[in-house]
Amino acid sequence: FYTVNPSEKAVVLRFGKFHNVTEPGLRFLIPFIEKKIKVDVETIRKEEFGFRQNIARSYSQAANALDLESLMITADKNVIQLNWVVQFRIRDPEYFVFNIKNPIETVRDVSESVIRRLVGNRDFDYLLNNRAELAESTQTEMQELLDKYSSGIQLVVVQLQDLNPPDPVRPSFNEVNQADQDKIRLGNEAQKEFNTKIPKARGTGRKMIEEAEGYAIERENRAKGDVARFNAIYKEYR
């Protein structure tokens, strides 16, 4: 007899081959003929890329390996450091146990392969402003590959953490970003001044034109009146 916990399922092998999957509860297997492999199907597993929580970062071989893990190149030839997290759980215990030799390494390899290709097809500015789209696309394509491999793994979420240029070029990159922000700010200020002064100038111009047209009509009418009056006097004089 054996007990399968509420968060587990047990894969039963008979003569070394898959027989069935048992649900939580008290179960029985035939000694020497059957054996069980318990699989936790409820726990959310997590794989980190480019960083590790609860591990002090230092200038060591391990830190260099993490840096290499997070370094990528974008479509516009910018080098970036991208840290991300993949959370997943086991959907099918049979597939998880039998179909892939090392499921965790498979998740890591698939994740790196997909996200590096997606990053390589996008510009750096796009990545900065569309992290949600990148994470969603990564999760979708990863799940397609894992299903193709019949891995028995269900992705829960792909979370992008830090997305920055590498440390050696970060000051220069920040200066470029600051220049771009200044350019946008000055452009907005110029547009604001344009929106304030140009309509006012146009209104003043229209006012001056209307005043000039009114003055011209007034002078013309006065001249016509003077001519009529002169003609009337001339007629009386004749």
Side-chain angles (χ1 to χ4, degrees):
F1 290 92
Y2 66 96
T3 301
V4 180
N5 295 325
S7 63
E8 298 175 335
K9 289 185 179 181
V11 178
V12 178
L13 283 69
R14 178 174 292 177
F15 297 111
K17 292 184 178 181
F18 172 76
H19 178 59
N20 65 351
V21 175
T22 59
E23 300 294 329
L26 184 63
R27 304 297 173 186
F28 172 79
L29 56 79
I30 304 173
F32 307 108
I33 295 176
E34 295 178 339
K35 72 174 183 177
K36 67 183 183 303
I37 301 175
K38 293 183 180 181
V39 179
D40 189 339
V41 296
E42 295 294 335
T43 299
I44 303 298
R45 294 165 167 80
K46 179 174 67 173
E47 289 298 314
E48 299 167 335
F49 299 83
F51 73 104
R52 301 291 186 272
Q53 289 184 349
N54 303 324
I55 296 179
R57 185 178 179 84
S58 61
Y59 293 100
S60 62
Q61 185 176 358
N64 292 333
L66 293 179
D67 288 339
L68 291 176
E69 188 176 73
S70 64
L71 283 176
M72 302 181 193
I73 187 167
T74 63
D76 52 353
K77 304 299 185 295
N78 279 312
V79 178
I80 64 170
Q81 281 185 313
L82 175 61
N83 299 335
W84 74 100
V85 176
V86 175
Q87 295 183 4
F88 63 95
R89 64 180 182 84
I90 299 172
R91 178 175 58 191
D92 190 312
E94 176 190 355
Y95 289 172
F96 183 79
V97 171
F98 291 105
N99 287 356
I100 296 179
K101 182 176 181 180
N102 194 328
I104 303 303
E105 285 301 319
T106 300
V107 170
R108 296 192 65 85
D109 292 342
V110 167
S111 180
E112 283 201 52
S113 173
V114 169
I115 202 166
R116 287 182 184 280
R117 182 179 59 78
L118 293 177
V119 168
N121 291 332
R122 289 160 171 78
D123 293 341
F124 182 71
D125 290 339
Y126 180 88
L127 294 173
L128 281 178
N129 299 319
N130 297 273
R131 298 189 185 190
E133 184 274 332
L134 177 62
E136 182 178 352
S137 298
T138 301
Q139 181 173 345
T140 299
E141 295 199 21
M142 282 186 62
Q143 189 64 64
E144 290 176 355
L145 283 174
L146 292 172
D147 291 344
K148 180 180 178 181
Y149 300 154
S150 298
S151 64
I153 293 173
Q154 177 66 50
L155 296 179
V156 176
V157 68
V158 175
Q159 295 177 334
L160 302 186
Q161 306 292 323
D162 295 333
L163 196 163
N164 295 300
D167 292 337
V169 300
R170 189 169 298 178
S172 299
F173 183 83
N174 291 336
E175 291 179 3
V176 172
N177 275 346
Q178 185 61 45
D180 288 339
Q181 293 174 6
D182 290 341
K183 177 183 176 181
I184 295 173
R185 177 178 57 81
L186 292 174
N188 292 336
E189 291 177 356
Q191 186 64 39
K192 179 180 178 181
E193 188 172 358
F194 175 88
N195 294 336
T196 302
K197 293 187 175 182
I198 295 302
K200 181 179 180 181
R202 288 173 178 169
T204 302
R206 283 195 298 269
K207 179 181 178 182
M208 294 177 66
I209 292 174
E210 291 172 356
E211 290 177 350
E213 290 175 347
Y215 179 72
I217 294 172
E218 179 186 359
R219 291 297 301 269
E220 183 179 355
N221 291 336
R222 183 181 300 174
K224 289 179 179 179
D226 291 342
V227 169
R229 181 163 53 84
F230 177 79
N231 289 335
I233 294 174
Y234 177 71
K235 183 179 179 182
E236 293 298 325
Y237 178 77
R238 290 286 303 270

